[in-house]
Amino acid sequence: MARTQGSHSDVTGPKIQRSALRLFAQHGFAAVSMRQIAKEVGVQAGALYNYIPDKQSLLVSLMQTHMEEVLAAWHQKAADLQGQDVLARLEAFTRFHIRYHMERPDAVFIAYMELRNLTPENFARIEALRSAYEGELRLILQEGVTSGQFEISDAKITTLAVIGMLNGVMTWYRSGGRLSLEEVETIYWDMVRKSVSPMVG
Amino acid sequence: MARTQGSHSDVTGPKIQRSALRLFAQHGFAAVSMRQIAKEVGVQAGALYNYIPDKQSLLVSLMQTHMEEVLAAWHQKAADLQGQDVLARLEAFTRFHIRYHMERPDAVFIAYMELRNLTPENFARIEALRSAYEGELRLILQEGVTSGQFEISDAKITTLAVIGMLNGVMTWYRSGGRLSLEEVETIYWDMVRKSVSPMVG
DNA sequence: GTTTTTATTGAACATTTGTTCATAAAGCCT
DNA sequence: AGGCTTTATGAACAAATGTTCAATAAAAAC
């Protein structure tokens, strides 16, 4: 039977996810206890097990949700770019990646750092999602090569290099610093553009 | 009094470092117990405390040693490059960074991922070393700007972007794959060079 | 207002944690 | 061989771990 009113559980579930996300990002999966999570949710440790089967699953669901949301957000953005020039699409990807990820530093951190705590099947699932996301960039690069606008040695490596460079922003950027995020985006876009363009020098 | 012969302790100390390095990289600092380390060294847990004051210090010393070694290795390489063109020096840095770090994946992983387990003072010490290393690249970039060979928007950001891009190699490269490490170096060098060069397009 | 379903507690469990220390073994020097 | 210093053992410590479960409270349904 469908629930027609809000209940405690409707708010506790998401609260667990938020608390776990923050704590895992801050101290690492292994260093966070169920009791710490419970305390932040405002509940006893035993109650968590009404929402999750075990600690592992909590981590997996956080990672999977994050990856699916990135992919979905990009697909939505990509729909708006239909028919646009390949250079505009690459710029859009660059700015999207930086901006979207900077808004979710905790989830990004976890999705990149806690892969070793996953069982092989779960690892494969998460990696497939990441691979799909990388494929979106790779497609743009390959189109640019076909059209003669880009000149790259290897589409796969170049994809990884670009994403690695963009990911670097997460490790040092803090709002309130010397540059706004938009300025940072512009600097990175400038470098990305040059790094995949033919060089006349 | 100086020890004139090899003794058990001369080999156990380094063995602890090696085992801890491997285990911390594989499972994370918090997930590795002193007993696991001891087992791999071939000793009881209590014996570890003849070599280290506590678990924390073990981590710090691993990170500090790594950072100091990177810096020293680069300084040595840099000495050979005295008087060389700025482009050659940038290429040398690019190849050095990839090669050196790929030969020590465990230490790199730990030095980048376990910073949150450091006390503020220790964190500051490690960060100072990293900053000194980044300064080396930044110097090259700034010289290239002065000489008119490079064209970048912001030396600091560009430094971080380049290092971020190079660090990405560690996350995906495995020897025995499609490309040799030298080929990968060449692809990355091509991108780095273009990304800091003036664009005529 | 009573029953039925759902959510929470709080204690209990078997392990595991980092670290200490008295005791024992091993290595070195004369 | 005997004495001295350096290492290693193995038991012990209190605290913390993930997870379970009967009992209890709260909410929903009728």
Side-chain angles (χ1 to χ4, degrees):
Chain A
M1 191 167 285
R3 258 195 249 109
T4 52
Q5 301 202 6
S7 72
H8 197 180
S9 69
D10 286 336
V11 74
T12 302
K15 212 172 190 176
I16 292 173
Q17 310 261 13
R18 282 199 305 274
S19 297
L21 194 71
R22 215 184 58 75
L23 289 167
F24 287 166
Q26 191 159 112
H27 307 107
F29 174 74
V32 174
S33 72
M34 297 303 276
R35 286 171 179 82
Q36 282 175 64
I37 298 171
K39 176 176 269 183
E40 201 164 285
V41 173
V43 95
Q44 292 294 113
L48 299 178
Y49 290 86
N50 291 324
Y51 301 89
I52 53 158
D54 52 32
K55 199 188 173 192
Q56 280 277 339
S57 313
L58 180 51
L59 176 64
V60 178
S61 93
L62 289 176
M63 293 172 86
Q64 182 160 347
T65 299
H66 169 67
M67 292 309 299
E68 283 169 354
E69 284 175 354
V70 182
L71 209 45
W74 169 250
H75 281 147
Q76 194 175 355
K77 174 129 257 168
D80 301 342
L81 299 166
Q82 284 235 311
Q84 288 211 26
D85 185 71
V86 79
L87 205 67
R89 304 231 303 288
L90 182 58
E91 177 173 4
F93 185 93
T94 300
R95 292 186 184 274
F96 166 83
H97 185 92
I98 293 177
R99 186 160 295 256
Y100 186 91
H101 284 70
M102 272 307 298
E103 281 165 4
R104 291 153 184 83
D106 288 351
V108 173
F109 205 59
I110 291 172
Y112 272 82
M113 299 230 330
E114 304 290 358
L115 288 165
R116 58 186 167 197
N117 288 298
L118 265 40
T119 62
E121 313 129 356
N122 286 328
F123 179 81
R125 267 224 304 278
I126 302 297
E127 275 305 291
L129 288 166
R130 192 195 307 291
S131 179
Y133 180 68
E134 289 169 358
E136 298 285 316
L137 171 56
R138 191 169 161 189
L139 215 71
I140 296 174
L141 292 177
Q142 279 168 332
E143 268 187 64
V145 169
T146 305
S147 74
Q149 292 174 86
F150 297 160
E151 187 176 288
I152 61 185
S153 333
D154 185 297
K156 190 160 174 39
I157 309 296
T158 303
T159 300
L160 295 167
V162 168
I163 289 199
M165 178 168 134
L166 300 181
N167 282 342
V169 179
M170 261 66 73
T171 70
W172 60 264
Y173 185 82
R174 298 294 172 268
S175 69
R178 180 166 58 92
L179 300 168
S180 73
L181 194 53
E182 220 220 313
E183 288 170 317
V184 173
E185 282 174 28
T186 303
I187 294 172
Y188 272 78
W189 162 233
D190 193 56
M191 291 182 72
V192 168
R193 180 173 44 88
K194 288 199 287 183
S195 73
V196 301
S197 296
M199 185 157 158
V200 202
Chain B
M1 189 171 289
R3 257 195 249 108
T4 52
Q5 300 202 6
S7 74
H8 197 179
S9 68
D10 287 335
V11 74
T12 303
K15 211 170 188 176
I16 292 173
Q17 310 263 8
R18 282 200 304 274
S19 297
L21 195 72
R22 214 184 59 75
L23 288 168
F24 287 166
Q26 191 158 111
H27 306 106
F29 174 74
V32 173
S33 72
M34 296 304 276
R35 285 170 179 82
Q36 282 174 65
I37 297 171
K39 177 176 268 184
E40 200 164 286
V41 174
V43 96
Q44 291 295 112
L48 299 178
Y49 290 86
N50 291 323
Y51 301 90
I52 53 158
D54 52 32
K55 199 188 175 193
Q56 280 276 339
S57 313
L58 180 51
L59 176 64
V60 178
S61 93
L62 290 176
M63 293 172 85
Q64 181 159 348
T65 299
H66 169 68
M67 291 309 299
E68 283 169 354
E69 283 176 354
V70 182
L71 209 46
W74 169 249
H75 281 147
Q76 193 174 357
K77 174 131 259 167
D80 300 344
L81 299 166
Q82 284 236 310
Q84 288 210 27
D85 185 71
V86 79
L87 205 67
R89 303 230 304 287
L90 182 58
E91 176 172 6
F93 184 92
T94 300
R95 292 188 184 273
F96 166 83
H97 186 92
I98 293 177
R99 187 161 296 255
Y100 187 91
H101 284 69
M102 273 307 298
E103 281 165 4
R104 292 153 184 84
D106 287 351
V108 173
F109 205 59
I110 291 172
Y112 272 82
M113 298 230 330
E114 305 289 358
L115 288 165
R116 58 186 165 196
N117 289 298
L118 265 39
T119 61
E121 313 129 357
N122 286 329
F123 179 81
R125 267 224 303 280
I126 303 296
E127 276 305 290
L129 289 167
R130 193 195 308 291
S131 178
Y133 180 68
E134 289 169 359
E136 298 285 315
L137 171 57
R138 192 169 159 190
L139 217 70
I140 297 174
L141 293 177
Q142 279 169 329
E143 268 187 64
V145 170
T146 305
S147 74
Q149 294 174 86
F150 297 160
E151 187 175 289
I152 61 186
S153 334
D154 185 298
K156 190 160 175 40
I157 309 297
T158 304
T159 299
L160 295 167
V162 168
I163 289 198
M165 179 168 134
L166 300 181
N167 282 342
V169 178
M170 260 67 72
T171 69
W172 60 263
Y173 184 83
R174 297 294 172 265
S175 69
R178 180 166 59 93
L179 300 169
S180 73
L181 193 53
E182 221 220 312
E183 289 171 316
V184 173
E185 283 174 26
T186 303
I187 294 172
Y188 273 77
W189 162 233
D190 193 56
M191 292 181 72
V192 169
R193 180 173 44 87
K194 288 199 288 182
S195 72
V196 301
S197 296
M199 186 158 157
V200 202

